[in-house]
Amino acid sequence: NSGASSLAVAAVTALGQIGGPRVLRLLVRGLKATDPAIAVAAVDGVQHLESAEVVEPLIGSLAHKNARVRAASLRSEYSS
């Protein structure tokens, strides 16, 4: 359902913009989403958290089955 996917992407994007430790768990869950758009939004979102706790989940997202998610993870600020 593209409507549900769009809503989920918007929610994950908003969480990333809100930031803070409260959203970390939710964004990490988003990194594991089977929908690539949600997982990419989560990769973008965790970059705003400025927390070392996101490094390991981002590394894990390098093994995501979708190439777009892997590429987003490689481009993240934490991969440098």
Side-chain angles (χ1 to χ4, degrees):
N1 182 329
S2 65
S5 176
S6 296
L7 182 60
V9 169
V12 170
T13 300
L15 287 171
Q17 292 172 349
I18 292 168
R22 298 176 309 194
V23 302
L24 176 64
R25 188 179 90 251
L26 298 170
L27 289 174
V28 167
R29 189 180 319 163
L31 291 173
K32 300 173 186 173
T34 56
D35 182 327
I38 295 171
V40 169
V43 169
D44 293 340
V46 296
Q47 293 183 70
H48 298 288
L49 298 182
E50 298 180 5
S51 170
E53 293 179 57
V54 303
V55 174
E56 189 172 329
L58 271 174
I59 290 170
S61 68
L62 291 171
H64 197 280
K65 68 180 181 178
N66 185 277
R68 284 180 41 219
V69 178
R70 294 191 304 268
S73 299
L74 283 171
R75 287 190 307 268
S76 75
E77 293 177 20
Y78 290 100
S79 67
S80 306

